[in-house]
Amino acid sequence: MPTPDAAGDTLSEPPPLANLLTATAAGDRRAFTMLYAQSSGQLFAVILRILKQRSWAEEVLQEAYIGIWSHAGSYAPDKGSAMAWMIAIARNRAIDVYRRERARRALDDPADPADAVAPDPSPSDFAEADDTARALRRCLEELEDKQRESILLAYRDGYTHQEIADRLESPIGTVKSWIRRGQLRLKTCLER
Amino acid sequence: MTDELDQLEALAADYVLGTLDESERRRVRSRLSRDPELARLVQEWTLRLSPVAEALPPVEPPPHVWQRIEAALDETRPAARRESLFERLGFWRWCTAGAAAAAAVLALYVALGPLPTDAPAPPRYVATLSQDPAAPAWLATVDLEARQVLVRPVGQVAGHDGAFELWLIAGAESPPRSLGLLPPSQEVALPISAELAGAISPAAALAVSLEPVGGSPTGLPTGPVVYQAPLIGLDR
């Protein structure tokens, strides 16, 4: 149960995101402002990584927060962290826009905008924030290099199968099989 | 342990990973609301991979993003909806376990789609304003929920002395109605009045005409129409 200070100013520590999200669901603009202040940097990083263009990323960030405001009442704390919920909204929108804009530009812009940001496919920058993150990092490290790289290029950088195949200079069928094997091993490892 | 993911789980895992194409993504999304098993699997994979996204170093967005969000909220919510949490006596009742359980069911849909809804959302449209399909001049996003048209210059706009005016053409029988003026090299958010919002449908189109400085003096296009485009519906 959130405290009445969910969006209050008497706390020295910022209120947890889940409380801010709950207060946002009740229409509290101040809570939403704080939610944005505490989470927009993370969401922008996620979106920018996928879209690789600041103007698109800003637009998607804006849409993501309008979605968060409108649907905050649907967030359920027992279904995962507030950050994971917000990131899912942002990622989905970013991937949709990336697919659409890439298709639109494919005709007249052969240059690959994916080259604008050189992704680092190693999991080394993982925050050791909590057990879940540590477990995922350990399990990613257990994957074969190509499996891990393919999964990270897809999830973190928004690459399609074809883009991963181009980048790793491998046939697309091989990439799909790396990803499928990697997903299975990841799941098995995380359930251990 | 099995040695492969079953078909449904593979679909969920690929959806979260982001490797499905546009039409496959749409199919998954429309299936989520009536397939709790798929929704559960998508939720599992969402949480499984989320730490990768959470580990990215934060990047501060520029201040104008927040200004636009606030402006959009002012448009979308009646004032009564924005009263303080502390004034809402009903809030604590809302927070009971029963409400949380009901919210949990909805949460699945929302965590999965970009802007899914429990009630049908007003539709969104895009229009690529161009003379040559390969070289669009402006990209317009019509957002009926935010009641605005966001117009972004994406290409070269021929220089001239007058103004570009954006028009809504609701249908073959309707006269064009002005949405506002477009700065040639700057993104602009033009508000949509309630009356105009009612005229927006998949049958509508946008057009840009060349007008004297300050816009058309008559309320109808007086100069040549230099760009036009049909509205294309976007999936929510």
Side-chain angles (χ1 to χ4, degrees):
Chain A
M1 173 74 69
T3 71
D5 278 330
D9 42 22
T10 56
L11 297 180
S12 51
E13 296 223 336
L17 292 179
N19 291 12
L20 292 175
L21 207 43
T22 308
T24 298
D28 188 325
R29 281 282 284 266
R30 208 151 56 98
F32 182 64
T33 306
M34 292 174 77
L35 183 74
Y36 181 87
Q38 284 183 44
S39 59
S40 57
Q42 198 61 51
L43 262 59
F44 194 47
V46 170
I47 294 167
L48 195 57
R49 186 78 178 213
I50 291 170
L51 287 172
K52 294 144 191 108
Q53 279 215 12
R54 289 189 78 93
S55 61
W56 297 352
E58 288 170 15
E59 203 170 308
V60 167
L61 185 70
Q62 178 188 338
E63 290 176 8
Y65 274 95
I66 291 168
I68 289 165
W69 166 259
S70 316
H71 301 291
S74 312
Y75 167 67
D78 59 334
K79 296 284 181 187
S81 74
M83 186 57 95
W85 184 82
M86 291 192 288
I87 283 178
I89 291 177
R91 267 192 83 247
N92 272 320
R93 185 78 197 131
I95 288 171
D96 287 344
V97 169
Y98 187 49
R99 296 279 174 275
R100 197 179 65 220
E101 296 287 334
R102 290 277 285 141
R104 194 197 303 281
R105 271 147 209 257
L107 290 174
D108 59 317
D109 182 12
D112 185 358
D115 291 339
V117 175
D120 160 24
S122 92
S124 58
D125 53 359
F126 261 46
E128 297 274 346
D130 56 35
D131 292 348
T132 322
R134 263 196 300 277
L136 180 61
R137 179 187 176 163
R138 177 176 56 79
C139 291
L140 278 170
E141 279 171 350
E142 282 186 17
L143 300 183
E144 287 164 24
D145 289 351
K146 298 289 192 189
Q147 293 173 348
R148 179 176 56 249
E149 282 173 34
S150 303
I151 283 179
L152 289 175
L153 285 171
Y155 180 84
R156 188 166 62 184
D157 300 286
Y159 280 30
T160 60
H161 284 136
Q162 186 59 56
E163 288 167 335
I164 298 169
D166 293 346
R167 187 177 168 83
L168 299 182
E169 296 176 343
S170 304
I172 192 163
T174 309
V175 166
K176 287 181 180 173
S177 128
W178 283 332
I179 286 180
R180 190 60 84 230
R181 301 291 306 164
Q183 285 167 328
L184 175 66
R185 286 180 63 174
L186 212 50
K187 182 185 168 176
T188 312
C189 172
L190 286 168
E191 283 170 356
R192 269 211 303 266
Chain B
M1 168 192 155
T2 55
D3 58 359
E4 58 183 307
L5 299 177
D6 72 38
Q7 226 181 354
L8 192 67
E9 175 145 25
L11 184 67
D14 286 349
Y15 175 73
V16 173
L17 204 56
T19 50
L20 299 181
D21 67 30
E22 260 187 293
S23 64
E24 292 168 324
R25 286 177 66 76
R26 267 201 301 275
R27 269 201 299 279
V28 168
R29 228 166 253 160
S30 66
R31 209 174 136 180
L32 286 173
S33 55
R34 48 176 207 279
D35 188 339
E37 181 60 8
L38 180 64
R40 188 185 63 79
L41 290 165
V42 167
Q43 177 73 1
E44 268 182 24
W45 277 96
T46 298
L47 294 179
R48 218 167 252 154
L49 293 173
S50 192
V52 171
E54 290 171 43
L56 289 172
V59 181
E60 275 320 300
H64 62 249
V65 176
W66 173 246
Q67 287 157 13
R68 285 183 205 149
I69 292 169
E70 284 211 291
L73 298 197
D74 290 338
E75 290 273 324
T76 53
R77 287 281 164 120
R81 195 73 184 87
R82 295 198 297 272
E83 64 192 332
S84 156
L85 162 64
F86 310 108
E87 293 158 19
R88 288 179 62 89
L89 294 177
F91 176 67
W92 298 111
R93 208 168 48 239
W94 186 91
C95 258
T96 59
V105 177
L106 284 173
L108 272 178
Y109 307 151
V110 167
L112 311 176
L115 297 169
T117 51
D118 38 302
R124 283 154 37 94
Y125 300 93
V126 288
T128 311
L129 292 156
S130 63
Q131 290 170 319
D132 168 2
W138 278 289
L139 189 64
T141 309
V142 178
D143 189 338
L144 286 177
E145 192 172 64
R147 279 283 184 75
Q148 65 174 18
V149 192
L150 195 69
V151 188
R152 184 152 45 87
V154 290
Q156 209 56 39
V157 174
H160 70 102
D161 296 328
F164 289 109
E165 191 156 0
L166 182 67
W167 303 88
L168 173 71
I169 300 158
E173 310 296 327
S174 318
R177 290 192 270 182
S178 178
L179 285 160
L181 298 179
L182 300 180
S185 58
Q186 203 188 330
E187 188 177 280
V188 66
L190 302 168
I192 303 173
S193 69
E195 193 212 343
L196 278 186
I200 291 173
S201 76
L206 295 182
V208 176
S209 69
L210 267 180
E211 300 295 340
V213 175
S216 161
T218 67
L220 285 171
T222 60
V225 170
V226 286
Y227 303 103
Q228 54 186 319
L231 291 183
I232 299 162
L234 283 185
D235 258 35
R236 276 273 179 186

